[in-house]
Amino acid sequence: MTLKSALLASAIALTPMAAMAELTIGFSQIGSESGWRAAETTVTKQESERRGINLKFADAQQKQENQIKALRTFIAQGVDAILIAPVVATGWDEVLEEAKDSDIPVILLDRTVDAPDELYLTAVTSDLVHEGKVAGEWLATEMAGDDCRIVELQGTTGSSPAIDRKNGFEQGIAGHDNLEIVRSQTGDFTRSLGKTVMESFLKAEGGENICALYAHNDDMAVGAIQAIKEAGLAPGVDIKIVAIDAVPDAHLAIANGEMNATIELTPNMAGPALDALEAYLANGAVPPKWIQTESKLFTTADDNAAIYEVKKGLGY
Ligand code: GYE
């Protein structure tokens, strides 16, 4: 523990709630590319307000250079800690070193980085590989040995969810020779590009030759559903659809028979992150390098209409 964090810890130890109320935290958010991302931003602001934290929010518009600029600004401002959802996995070592040199703890939210783990306090993420594997295993069970030509909409190129969810899905379908990924391309986690890329898949393969879509997030799946309908096909029936996030519109699509399964990703990464930060700053409690959030599969067997009604008011 450095002198600065020791002094801060002793100050917080004396007046824990008041000291937390004086915390200033910089949050470098990727952008608002998906409904899930918007919900994460909402929840992070709510969790900070609840704790009396002064949150400095920076939206990077999906550009790494904007996130690096934001981190340097936070460091210059001498914030007490930094939260970052890193848009891609590489290119962070230098700026994370600068934060470390300034004694500013950094916590990663929902994505990881290819950097030495001493450069960040902890990462609050789901098991991204497991999510992909659950999706693959669900499709294998659903197809029950029938042949299935699969198209895949990948997340943002170079991001840890795109890398890990692709690897996990391939693990999930491994050993099932009846399942084959015939097209795989990034839709950048957005509805619009998900629709455009699905249109290209339908044109290239012929809709009748596509059995299933695996999308790395629900927003790309929702865009693809529009493309499938415009091609005169029934999403969820002619083409099975499995994705990840469990945003309200995915539950609505499943309830309407237009999608088949989604794996839930909680938008509340900030709660566990701020709890860990509070313990670290108050008494030097070092958290594990990975705080894992749970992943839950939802299918047509669940009451998706009711779940939609509950979730639609939660900041998505
Ligand atoms: O699945 C997607 C967002 O980083 C795991 O990013 C997150 C992903 C999430 O764009 O909706």
Side-chain angles (χ1 to χ4, degrees):
M1 179 186 285
T2 59
L3 176 60
K4 178 186 174 185
S5 44
L7 289 173
L8 200 50
S10 57
I12 288 173
L14 294 172
T15 52
M17 287 317 292
M20 280 303 285
E22 292 156 9
L23 274 187
T24 296
I25 295 178
F27 176 28
S28 172
Q29 178 59 295
I30 292 173
S32 53
E33 75 279 3
S34 69
W36 182 89
R37 182 71 53 198
E40 184 189 55
T41 296
T42 300
V43 172
T44 302
K45 290 178 177 175
Q46 290 170 343
E47 286 292 320
S48 299
E49 190 172 345
R50 191 164 68 81
R51 289 168 167 83
I53 288 169
N54 171 25
L55 188 75
K56 291 177 175 291
F57 179 77
D59 180 324
Q61 308 287 318
Q62 277 99 322
K63 292 183 172 63
Q64 181 176 30
E65 61 265 28
N66 290 345
Q67 289 199 283
I68 291 172
K69 279 182 201 152
L71 261 59
R72 288 192 165 126
T73 300
F74 294 149
I75 293 166
Q77 291 169 336
V79 297
D80 297 304
I82 290 171
L83 303 178
I84 178 171
V87 60
V88 292
T90 57
W92 301 102
D93 294 51
E94 189 178 337
V95 72
L96 291 177
E97 285 279 2
E98 291 165 19
K100 187 174 178 66
D101 293 345
S102 300
D103 259 332
I104 298 174
V106 175
I107 296 184
L108 309 180
L109 301 185
D110 71 83
R111 298 187 185 180
T112 55
V113 298
D114 294 344
D117 67 11
E118 61 263 23
L119 293 181
Y120 56 87
L121 183 64
T122 186
V124 182
T125 80
S126 59
D127 182 334
L128 296 155
V129 174
H130 172 70
E131 294 167 335
K133 191 171 182 186
V134 168
E137 290 170 342
W138 171 84
L139 186 60
T141 304
E142 184 75 8
M143 295 317 301
D146 292 347
D147 287 350
C148 188
R149 301 175 86 253
I150 305 158
V151 293
E152 179 182 21
L153 288 169
Q154 297 182 34
T156 300
T157 302
S159 68
S160 63
I163 294 163
D164 290 350
R165 286 173 177 173
K166 178 168 181 44
N167 291 341
F169 185 80
E170 288 163 3
Q171 289 176 29
I173 66 171
H176 298 277
D177 297 339
N178 57 310
L179 305 181
E180 180 192 4
I181 301 170
V182 295
R183 297 266 170 179
S184 183
Q185 191 177 326
T186 184
D188 207 19
F189 284 129
T190 67
R191 291 190 183 202
S192 57
L193 199 50
K195 179 174 188 284
T196 302
V197 175
M198 189 67 205
E199 287 165 348
S200 71
F201 288 163
L202 290 160
K203 189 174 178 189
E205 291 293 329
E208 68 283 2
N209 299 317
I210 296 173
C211 153
L213 163 66
Y214 165 52
H216 291 186
N217 83 332
D218 292 338
D219 279 65
M220 293 189 291
V222 170
I225 285 169
Q226 194 55 40
I228 293 166
K229 285 180 174 178
E230 289 173 4
L233 297 167
V237 179
D238 297 326
I239 297 177
K240 302 280 186 195
I241 300 174
V242 56
I244 301 171
D245 281 349
V247 298
D249 282 347
H251 290 290
L252 187 60
I254 296 172
N256 293 336
E258 297 179 343
M259 188 172 167
N260 305 90
T262 185
I263 293 120
E264 185 172 64
L265 177 75
T266 176
N268 185 7
M269 302 281 174
L274 295 174
D275 288 347
L277 182 64
E278 180 179 3
Y280 174 71
L281 293 176
N283 51 43
V286 179
K289 281 298 176 183
W290 181 26
I291 298 172
Q292 181 183 345
T293 61
E294 71 168 291
S295 307
K296 184 179 185 314
L297 174 66
F298 288 91
T299 69
T300 51
D302 294 289
D303 186 351
N304 289 280
I307 298 167
Y308 169 74
E309 288 302 324
V310 170
K311 285 192 176 183
K312 72 180 182 181
L314 299 181
Y316 285 91

